Amino acid sequence: METLTLVGVLAGSLGLTALARRYNLSAPLLIVVVALGIALIPGVPRIELEPELILTVVLPPLLYSTSLESSLTHFRASLRPIVSLGVLLVALTAVVVAFVVHLLLPDLPWASALVLGAVVSPPDAVTAVAIGRKLGLPRGIMTVLTGESLVNDAAALTLYKVALAAVAGTAGSIGHGFAVFVVATVLGIAVGLVAGFVVVFIRGRLDDPLLESAFGIIVPFAAYVTAEHLHPFGSEFSGSGVLAVVTAGLYLGHRALNASPATRMQDRSVWASIDVLLEALVFALMGLQLPFVLDGAQHAARDNGTLALVALVVLAVTMLVRIPAVFLSSYLPRTLRLFGRAREGTSWRALAVVSWTGMRGVVTLAAAAGVPTGTPGREEIQLFAFTVAVGTVLIQGLTLPPLIRLLKVQDPDEAARDEAEELAAREVAQKAAHQRLREITKERLSTLDMPEEKVTRLRQRLERLVDTRYRFAKAAITMSGEERSASPQAQFAKARKELLLTQRAALIEENRAGRLDDAVLNKVLRELDLEELSVSNSLTNRMS
């Protein structure tokens, strides 16, 4: 892919994203449609999707960013549906699609049909999550969709490797394939945890938000490449790079509470920008693959009408197999009392929405493009994969918003519960701050050489957290360095920072005790981070 062409694709896709946001449209849908139209224009440079670029450069940061923002508590609470959809449904979809394709095209080897099944099995939840956030889906549904997107790529790519080995004649028994999956899972999680520990250790000693954020950018790439290149039991056994990235992201996101406010704020901005850039790029690349797929279909040793019909059948099977599977994965364990005590059931409306969020993405196209030359049915696999990826994005992406509105799955009480939790948490933090304020008043302010009424005034200003930046700046101009550090204004700023730290500690304790949801905690912490940065900057300016 030429550099100038890639820059043009990036610029164009970002422009379409801006347009979509301006007019409240779905950016992925708009980008895919425009890219499909551009791909059909004669003379337009062709941009072939490079699997290695997608799997090692684009996929890791997208997964890592999603993992950082995910709640480990919510992830653990929804582990059963996440595993059901992200692992079991992926395997089921692959087998069902392979069976149908082998039935319709008997001369296509079963191993090649299984490769196709693995290619089209993992949904990409980027579009679904974006739509869900905009329309206010309940947090439980969002957790399941996000969690599924974090693990299904690992399951699908591992199955993809096993299927390719079967095509090449190097695959063993079913037990061998299961061993490959277990090794990939264990090694991937282990590499992710090690990467997380190392990053936390190094960041704790840097004390430089800029370096900490820059260091964090290399984490997803390092975790992915390390896991994929570990072969402890032979070349066919390796770790899952996807699971390594997800594990590292979940761990570091959970430990972000211990990072400095400046680091947290900077990380949010950096990864939000990276997300917008990469998501725009991948949907543009999806649409631009149309010419290559059409060329491959023309070279396939089959009638084009037959190929088109089978492609549509594969698209329909891929979408429809998810619907009963989602309902069964919820109702069957509840009916049979599996997994311990009976669980609170998910409404059929919520399950209907989840069952229709099976849009495929660029991972499907990257895996299809990576099928080795000479593989029986390679052209058919790429055509069917493209049909499924683009078809699900357009069909389900366009119909999901009306479905959510029709079924009214929004939880009107969730906002009220969040507000109640937030109010209770703020009261706890306020009490902790007042207690610490009394200690500060007794320990420090009362020892300053100033009238009692001035001490009282300073205490009141601390309680109200009034903005005093102008007074601080004015004092800094007229005082020496020693005078600044010993001034009442500096003491005020230091005490104010201590109060913020006390409030943060109280909020985190409420969260660990299970009385404050992660999403509400993050909302309040963002406010405290902004305020603490303001105080820290004013202190730095006065000390310099």
Side-chain angles (χ1 to χ4, degrees), residues 86-278:
V87 179
L88 300 181
L89 181 54
V90 164
L92 175 65
T93 302
V95 172
V96 171
V97 169
F99 175 78
V100 171
V101 170
H102 188 62
L103 188 66
L104 296 176
L105 302 175
D107 58 331
L108 185 70
W110 170 255
S112 296
L114 189 58
V115 170
L116 171 64
V119 164
V120 302
S121 61
D124 180 1
V126 171
T127 306
V129 170
I131 293 172
R133 284 175 182 162
K134 183 183 295 185
L135 297 179
L137 282 180
R139 190 174 296 128
I141 297 180
M142 297 299 296
T143 298
V144 171
L145 292 178
T146 304
E148 179 191 6
S149 71
L150 293 177
V151 301
N152 60 14
D153 287 337
L157 292 176
T158 303
L159 183 60
Y160 173 74
K161 292 179 183 179
V162 174
L164 285 180
V167 171
T170 59
S173 62
I174 295 178
H176 178 270
F178 181 74
V180 170
F181 179 79
V182 171
V183 170
T185 301
V186 173
L187 281 181
I189 294 175
V191 169
L193 287 175
V194 171
F197 288 141
V198 170
V199 171
V200 169
F201 177 81
I202 294 177
R203 278 185 158 186
R205 282 149 185 79
L206 286 177
D207 194 25
D208 186 327
L210 183 61
L211 283 178
E212 290 178 44
S213 192
F215 183 72
I217 293 177
I218 69 172
V219 172
F221 307 106
Y224 184 91
V225 172
T226 301
E228 290 290 330
H229 285 79
L230 280 180
H231 303 283
F233 308 111
S235 58
E236 69 270 30
F237 292 93
S238 66
S240 168
V242 171
L243 282 182
V245 172
V246 170
T247 303
L250 285 173
Y251 178 78
L252 290 173
H254 186 65
R255 293 298 300 269
L257 295 176
N258 301 324
S260 69
T263 301
R264 281 196 298 270
M265 296 294 295
Q266 190 155 276
D267 277 352
R268 291 188 195 109
S269 299
V270 167
W271 287 109
S273 300
I274 291 175
D275 276 352
V276 170
L277 179 65
L278 293 182

Side-chain angles (χ1 to χ4, degrees), residues 405-450:
R405 296 189 187 98
L406 176 66
L407 295 179
K408 300 178 181 179
V409 294
Q410 295 92 339
D411 185 356
D413 298 328
E414 187 170 80
R417 289 195 300 270
D418 286 351
E419 289 176 358
E421 282 189 13
E422 181 180 345
L423 181 59
R426 288 184 183 275
E427 289 176 355
V428 171
Q430 188 69 9
K431 290 178 181 178
H434 278 297
Q435 176 61 33
R436 182 58 184 150
L437 177 57
R438 285 192 289 269
E439 296 172 1
I440 291 173
T441 303
K442 183 177 179 181
E443 294 170 1
R444 302 177 195 173
L445 296 182
S446 60
T447 63
L448 294 175
D449 186 16
M450 67 175 78

Side-chain angles (χ1 to χ4, degrees), residues 8 36 307 360 402:
L36 286 171
L307 282 179
R360 270 53 180 179

Side-chain angles (χ1 to χ4, degrees), residues 16-25 27 272 276:
L16 290 173
T17 301
L19 185 66
R21 292 193 174 200
R22 173 67 177 81
Y23 293 101
N24 199 29
L25 303 173
V276 170

Side-chain angles (χ1 to χ4, degrees), residues 358-415:
M359 287 82 82
R360 270 53 180 179
V362 74
V363 173
T364 290
L365 293 183
V371 174
T373 303
T375 300
R378 182 175 185 268
E379 291 79 12
E380 288 88 339
I381 291 173
Q382 293 181 342
L383 172 63
F384 298 159
F386 179 84
T387 303
V388 169
V390 175
T392 52
V393 167
L394 295 179
I395 296 173
Q396 294 179 313
L398 286 171
T399 56
L400 184 59
L403 179 66
I404 293 174
R405 296 189 187 98
L406 176 66
L407 295 179
K408 300 178 181 179
V409 294
Q410 295 92 339
D411 185 356
D413 298 328
E414 187 170 80

Side-chain angles (χ1 to χ4, degrees), residues 40 46 289-299 304 383 386:
L40 294 175
R46 291 189 173 188
Q289 299 315 295
L290 180 59
F292 300 99
V293 174
L294 294 178
D295 288 347
Q298 291 176 356
H299 290 90
N304 287 343
L383 172 63
F386 179 84

